[in-house]
Amino acid sequence: MTSIGTGYDLSNSIFSPDGRNFQVEYAMKAVENGGTSIGIRCKDGVVLAVEKIITSKLLKPGANKRIATVDRHLGVVSSGMLPDGRHFVDRARDEARSWRDNFKTPITTADLASRMGNYLQAHTLYQSVRPFGITAIVGGFDAQEESPVDGEVGNGPSCGAGGKNPDKKYGGPFLYMIEPSGLYWGYYGAATGKGRQAAKAELEKLDLTGEGITLEEAVKEAARIIYVAHDDSKDKEFELEMSWISGKDGPTKGLHQEVPKALREEAERLAKKSLDDSDDEEEEKKDGDKMEE
Amino acid sequence: MDHRPQAWGRPRDDVYGAYDGSYLNNSGPRTVTQSPVVTGTSVIAIKFKDGIVMAADNLASYGSLARFTDVKRLRTFLGTTVIGFGGDVSDMQFLDRHLEELAVDESYEAEPTIDEDDQEAKKASQLNAGNIYRYLQKLMYQRRNSFDPLWNHILVAGFDSASKPLLGSVDLRGTSFTSPSLATGFGAALAQPIMRKYAATEEDAAKLTREQAVGVIKECMKVLFYRDARSLDRYSIAIVTKDGIELKEDEQLEKQSWAFAERIKGYGTQTV
């Protein structure tokens, strides 16, 4: 960054002459130091996973969750500054609640991403605030079936204007990633934090855009990707935290929930195994090279 | 010109007399919420050995007019608790949304960090029917103390923290009690004596089978339809057990017999 020290990096709300907002770029640096988070959108749900670096042996295993539930069908995970992530979740919960107050219906994933995108963008405009030091991944499953509004007591008309169309499918699984600048896109697979490059490379190998993969496959892939992404920085221990969201007829019944212990442990076992296998292959290759020599 | 804002746009005092602002002084109690408008009639419930059966008909009356005939007055909470509402339907909707908000708050709580396979501990960490019952009691009492009651009589059915069946009642004044069988509204006079025949005490209720309990409830719903002019023959019935809630919302009263009506004299346009 050649423009460092020119005075344009001291505040939000001031552009550098070449059109950059340095504070936002520094915020992204904060994200790049955080533990890897990923999200996978599969055909029947969404999986969120995070590499939770253990900063002290005195922390209780499994405590201090990093993935949060916003509304019942929405989950958020973020990389970067943890307190900023907490505030992001608080704000997202407020947004989801006010949406329910106004419209008597759960907020859609897209609408929540939009609201939160706007909120983060607002933090790039004023001197009095700093941008968020996080990139957040928002996953959700919007109800696919005709669902009643909150507090609805009757059936409503069965046909005609305002009537029901039982065959029509709404919603589905959605995944968004929101960056410190307020930029947000919808993704099939999203990764952020320290290991994002490796994670993205792995995500691109999955068939997410075409046929799609199943939720259970996605859980296993997510665990594997977090292990792969961690591989580069062997310095610290980490815990794997995973959550998933399926539709009404799936394993979580439309709710955002932690992946059950048994399934998570199985996924971790497979992840470790695949890592060992690939290590062996590399070693074999090396051995092979040597032999040729 | 008179620069006081309260005089702007007003007829001149010297011509029309001083402005009478007395209607703005609402020092008296608010009265708009102190009478129900669209109402539901009785809710009835009885315990049996594995749980609780609750029923309420699908009618919302506007005074004596049978205004809405597909109103679901049994609401579920967290898939473990059934709440039946008698009284004002808009207040019921308010409470339903309020409870929905509580359920969402409940989902924020991360899974307990205790062993995930320990189902008992997991259950204990979740809001149960006992919590909802006491919460509603406090809410209703607080509202009655602010002279703004929620015009409902509520039955709560589910399991308490000791996993025992719980059936409780809360009324618009915050009065609350539990019993092996409960009924609100007209049901308190018409259905309660019938249910007491089968379950006068907790011990009696613990001997009832599910089929017997459902039979008693159906019988009571029939009697209520015979005698309560604000009732309907379509009703909802919920069965709460440890396995969850079975809620049927469009049941029809069966095997009605109006033979007794022949003997009733002295009403309507009847002259004999």
Side-chain angles (χ1 to χ4, degrees), chain A residues 69-264:
Chain A
T69 304
V70 168
D71 201 321
R72 274 180 292 184
H73 62 298
L74 291 164
V76 169
V77 64
S78 60
S79 288
M81 301 174 72
L82 300 192
D84 287 23
R86 286 271 166 80
H87 178 68
F88 181 95
V89 169
D90 279 352
R91 176 70 187 198
R93 285 173 178 173
D94 286 351
E95 291 289 356
R97 168 160 303 187
S98 86
W99 184 278
R100 270 194 196 261
D101 281 348
N102 286 326
F103 304 114
K104 312 299 179 208
T105 180
I107 191 168
T108 63
T109 317
D111 283 311
L112 183 79
S114 156
R115 294 278 183 104
M116 294 313 293
N118 284 338
Y119 187 62
L120 263 59
Q121 190 268 341
H123 282 74
T124 67
L125 297 174
Y126 306 99
Q127 282 219 307
S128 53
V129 293
R130 63 168 172 79
F132 276 69
I134 57 158
T135 289
I137 298 174
V138 178
F141 203 108
D142 303 339
Q144 285 186 305
E145 44 289 298
E146 177 93 44
S147 23
V149 295
D150 292 352
E152 178 177 309
V153 293
N155 293 324
S158 57
C159 60
K164 309 256 189 299
N165 184 355
D167 300 329
K168 194 172 169 191
K169 282 279 179 195
Y170 309 83
F174 292 99
L175 183 71
Y176 287 84
M177 184 160 76
I178 309 170
E179 295 175 24
S181 60
L183 175 88
Y184 69 94
W185 296 117
Y187 289 89
Y188 283 106
T192 180
K194 207 181 268 176
R196 69 198 173 289
Q197 298 295 4
K200 274 183 199 163
E202 290 297 321
L203 284 168
E204 280 166 14
K205 290 182 199 160
L206 304 176
D207 175 32
L208 298 174
T209 52
E211 175 101 334
I213 59 176
T214 67
L215 202 51
E216 301 230 338
E217 282 167 356
V219 165
K220 284 167 186 161
E221 289 298 342
R224 190 181 61 78
I225 291 170
I226 290 290
Y227 271 85
V228 168
H230 182 76
D231 211 34
D232 301 329
S233 54
K234 271 184 174 147
D235 48 1
K236 273 192 181 133
E237 294 276 300
F238 77 101
E239 252 175 38
L240 173 66
E241 192 179 323
M242 281 200 291
S243 71
W244 60 350
I245 319 161
S246 75
K248 278 262 151 47
D249 39 8
T252 79
K253 301 186 173 58
L255 305 178
H256 173 248
Q257 284 177 343
E258 201 177 335
V259 172
K261 196 177 170 193
L263 181 56
R264 194 195 68 223

Side-chain angles (χ1 to χ4, degrees), chain A residues 60 62-63 65 69-72 93 97 100-101 104 150-156 258-261 264, chain B residues 70-72 75 78 89 92-93 96-97 100-101 103-105 107-111 113 115-117:
Chain A
K60 185 178 171 187
K65 297 283 186 227
T69 304
V70 168
D71 201 321
R72 274 180 292 184
R93 285 173 178 173
R97 168 160 303 187
R100 270 194 196 261
D101 281 348
K104 312 299 179 208
D150 292 352
E152 178 177 309
V153 293
N155 293 324
E258 201 177 335
V259 172
K261 196 177 170 193
R264 194 195 68 223
Chain B
D70 64 347
V71 171
K72 281 88 181 165
R75 323 295 288 186
L78 285 178
V89 170
M92 167 180 98
Q93 289 179 300
D96 191 35
R97 287 184 189 127
E100 183 73 14
E101 210 169 287
V104 172
D105 283 351
S107 70
Y108 295 166
E109 296 302 319
E111 292 273 309
T113 48
D115 184 10
E116 283 177 45
D117 304 322

Side-chain angles (χ1 to χ4, degrees), chain B residues 46-52 164-165 179-181 195 198-210 212-213:
Chain B
I46 190 168
K47 279 190 192 175
F48 64 98
K49 67 178 161 68
D50 305 317
I52 297 135
K164 291 254 158 42
S179 171
S181 65
M195 291 192 288
Y198 297 93
T201 62
E202 293 285 349
E203 289 74 37
D204 294 342
K207 283 177 204 144
L208 283 184
T209 65
R210 175 188 160 128
Q212 282 172 318

Side-chain angles (χ1 to χ4, degrees), chain B:
Chain B
M1 184 189 162
D2 190 342
H3 291 280
R4 293 171 308 137
Q6 59 267 41
W8 295 353
R10 289 283 316 154
R12 283 167 55 186
D13 284 359
D14 53 337
V15 178
Y16 296 98
Y19 176 61
D20 176 13
S22 62
Y23 80 96
L24 289 169
N25 301 328
N26 43 3
S27 54
R30 248 153 58 89
T31 53
V32 281
T33 63
Q34 295 186 19
S35 54
V37 182
V38 177
T39 57
T41 181
S42 327
V43 185
I44 59 172
I46 190 168
K47 279 190 192 175
F48 64 98
K49 67 178 161 68
D50 305 317
I52 297 135
V53 187
M54 190 188 284
D57 68 30
N58 289 352
L59 179 68
S61 308
Y62 181 68
S64 59
L65 173 72
R67 180 66 185 83
F68 303 103
T69 54
D70 64 347
V71 171
K72 281 88 181 165
R73 297 192 292 124
L74 300 187
R75 323 295 288 186
T76 61
F77 181 79
L78 285 178
T80 57
T81 305
V82 173
I83 305 168
F85 292 87
D88 193 276
V89 170
S90 61
D91 285 348
M92 167 180 98
Q93 289 179 300
F94 169 82
L95 280 168
D96 191 35
R97 287 184 189 127
H98 184 64
L99 291 171
E100 183 73 14
E101 210 169 287
L102 286 189
V104 172
D105 283 351
E106 190 70 358
S107 70
Y108 295 166
E109 296 302 319
E111 292 273 309
T113 48
I114 42 168
D115 184 10
E116 283 177 45
D117 304 322
D118 188 351
Q119 288 300 320
E120 283 304 308
K122 201 167 175 179
K123 249 182 204 161
S125 71
Q126 255 201 341
L127 279 188
N128 59 44
N131 304 130
I132 295 301
Y133 165 58
R134 276 179 287 277
Y135 179 82
L136 285 172
Q137 186 262 320
K138 276 159 179 71
L139 178 68
M140 298 299 263
Y141 183 61
Q142 187 269 328
R143 291 293 294 249
R144 86 115 222 191
N145 279 346
S146 42
F147 292 90
D148 189 14
L150 294 165
W151 211 272
N152 294 110
H153 194 152
I154 304 167
L155 298 190
V156 181
F159 290 85
D160 62 15
S161 45
S163 297
K164 291 254 158 42
L166 177 132
L167 174 58
S169 136
V170 183
D171 75 1
L172 75 169
R173 296 175 188 84
T175 318
S176 68
F177 47 88
T178 60
S179 171
S181 65
L182 282 170
T184 78
F186 224 166
L190 293 176
Q192 193 63 270
I194 302 173
M195 291 192 288
R196 287 221 179 109
K197 274 204 296 194
Y198 297 93
T201 62
E202 293 285 349
E203 289 74 37
D204 294 342
K207 283 177 204 144
L208 283 184
T209 65
R210 175 188 160 128
E211 286 67 34
Q212 282 172 318
V214 171
V216 173
I217 288 292
K218 285 188 172 170
E219 185 60 28
C220 289
M221 290 308 286
K222 199 151 67 179
V223 170
L224 282 168
F225 182 56
Y226 289 154
R227 300 286 177 176
D228 180 357
R230 309 284 166 267
S231 67
L232 196 68
D233 53 353
R234 301 208 80 87
Y235 66 99
S236 309
I237 187 164
I239 299 159
V240 197
T241 59
K242 287 216 171 76
D243 304 327
I245 299 167
E246 278 173 56
L247 177 60
K248 285 178 276 187
E249 290 187 315
D250 199 20
E251 295 292 283
Q252 170 75 40
L253 279 187
E254 285 157 357
K255 297 189 200 122
Q256 294 174 43
S257 162
W258 288 84
F260 70 93
E262 299 269 325
R263 291 177 276 116
I264 300 174
K265 306 273 178 190
Y267 289 94
T269 55
Q270 211 175 24
T271 50
V272 189

